[in-house]
Amino acid sequence: MKRKIGTIPQSQVYMLFTQYLFTSTIGFLLTPLIQIAHFSSWICVIVGAIFGLAVTYGSYRLAIRRPDQFFGVYGKEIVGKWLHVPVIIFMVISYMYVASAIMRQLLDLLIQFYLPLTPLWAAAALFGVCLAYSVRSGIESIFRAAQGIFFFSIAGIVVIPFLIYTQIDSNMVIALINHFDFKMVWNGTIFIESLFGEMAFIPFIYPYFTRGGTTMRSLGWATFTSVLVILASLIPAILVFGPDLAGNLSYTELELLRYSSPRSHLANLDPALIAIWMSSLFIKISLFLFVAIVGLTQVFSLKDHKPFALSMSTAAVILSLILVRSVPELDHMLSHGGTALVIITGVIPLIYLLVDWIRSFSSNKEKKTLSENKEG
């Protein structure tokens, strides 16, 4: 397979994965997180991010063992072709599922607030056309797009706490410390780990990165930055609305913006915030879909991903339409089966790494024994 190797600088890796981690979390997942952990949600974000980064580090260790090869290609050397192929297909289905779920969340948001008379299928079709073009353009275009909107994306989120600081109930601040429930924290941590552990797909795209040895540093800084951005929205939401109300809002971040001072002209900038979210979420969906496509092309030794861009984008759009019938169903699906699916998918590279270590150890031991026998 002829592919461009080493075309994505580490600055773009940092910028894309920072947005990748906080956009869907802030846009759609603050509510279920607050429902799970209440005042302890901020602890879940920090601990879950550490666990997710640890899972990603395992995938990184697998990738650097063969830095110039793609996981879909060399995986069969580790576990055998007949096991590797169905495993990759399972991972591809998982990535398609996540991409479709995020797409459905975004479409529901747009139609509910801004396109109420537009059929869901029409909005999905237009989104699918853009998605197919993005994926066909290649991974370099996806990372460059993330770089172009990085600062706008960060600024659009971080500015909100400054608009609503007068609405914060300072009497609830102490509850962030003394309201601790281990079960809640554990469940919330698992939920957040599944989000940050999504970065475990990097072995599929690792050879595209320049100075691959510093990739983990970029991902670490991306995790740190995204945690700060998430907490900048999560903590004000809890202190303004309280955990009971915040845990039942459809779009917490939008409600925060609308709760700002009516004298502030920025209080009416929720369409601008939606535009920023759309761009960042579009990039995340494109990346998931690209990884799913290259996973197939790698495992079947195909030369190019472009012929699959339209068909896989169409499949993602159709899946987003038939996945669920309503937003509550989608939230229920993501909080129950969805989290487990993402965690299992993220652990698969760690299993490959363990098997590779064992086989390398056994091979080195056999070579050492043969060398000693020859010398003897």
Side-chain angles (χ1 to χ4, degrees), residues 228-295:
L228 293 181
V229 174
I230 292 170
L231 292 180
S233 293
L234 174 65
I235 293 176
I238 295 175
L239 297 181
V240 169
F241 300 120
D244 294 328
L245 177 57
N248 287 281
L249 296 173
S250 297
Y251 304 103
T252 307
E253 191 72 3
L254 280 180
E255 296 301 331
L256 266 182
L257 182 60
R258 292 173 177 177
Y259 207 70
S260 60
S261 173
R263 296 179 181 178
S264 173
H265 297 293
L266 296 176
N268 299 315
L269 285 182
D270 54 309
L273 183 61
I274 290 295
I276 295 171
W277 275 351
M278 274 194 62
S279 302
S280 299
L281 288 168
F282 179 80
I283 290 169
K284 182 171 183 176
I285 296 168
S286 299
L287 182 60
F288 263 118
L289 191 57
F290 179 85
V291 172
I293 294 174
V294 297

Side-chain angles (χ1 to χ4, degrees), residues 31-42:
T31 294
L33 175 60
I34 296 172
Q35 284 179 345
I36 294 171
H38 292 198
F39 284 106
S40 300
S41 298
W42 67 275

Side-chain angles (χ1 to χ4, degrees), residues 298-348:
Q298 290 169 16
V299 77
F300 292 115
S301 300
L302 302 176
K303 294 182 178 181
D304 195 2
H305 76 280
K306 292 182 179 179
F308 298 92
L310 180 58
S311 58
M312 292 287 279
S313 298
T314 303
V317 169
I318 294 174
L319 184 59
S320 71
L321 294 174
I322 66 175
L323 206 57
V324 292
R325 291 172 296 180
S326 63
V327 175
E329 281 188 16
L330 181 60
D331 292 339
H332 182 272
M333 181 188 67
L334 291 175
S335 61
H336 290 73
T339 299
L341 178 64
V342 173
I343 291 176
I344 292 171
T345 305
V347 169
I348 289 176

Side-chain angles (χ1 to χ4, degrees), residues 60-67 69 74 353 356-357 360-361:
Y60 166 76
R61 296 299 304 177
L62 175 65
I64 63 175
R65 292 176 69 84
R66 298 170 180 82
Q69 300 181 49
Y74 65 74
L353 177 63
D356 199 24
W357 275 345
S360 297
F361 177 77

Side-chain angles (χ1 to χ4, degrees), residues 87-102 198 288-289 291-292 319 337-346 348:
V87 167
I88 294 299
I89 291 175
F90 170 80
M91 297 179 76
V92 167
I93 293 173
S94 176
Y95 298 144
M96 290 284 290
Y97 164 84
V98 176
S100 300
I102 298 173
E198 289 173 349
F288 263 118
L289 191 57
V291 172
L319 184 59
T339 299
L341 178 64
V342 173
I343 291 176
I344 292 171
T345 305
I348 289 176

Side-chain angles (χ1 to χ4, degrees), residues 4 19 38 41 53 55 60 65 74 77 104 124 152 156 160 185 189 196 210 224 235 244 270 272 281 284 290 354 369:
K4 295 180 180 179
Q19 297 174 76
H38 292 198
S41 298
L53 190 62
V55 172
Y60 166 76
R65 292 176 69 84
Y74 65 74
E77 301 173 5
R104 180 57 184 268
F152 295 103
I160 294 178
V185 170
T189 297
F196 282 79
T210 60
F224 177 76
I235 293 176
D244 294 328
D270 54 309
L281 288 168
K284 182 171 183 176
F290 179 85
L354 179 62
T369 303

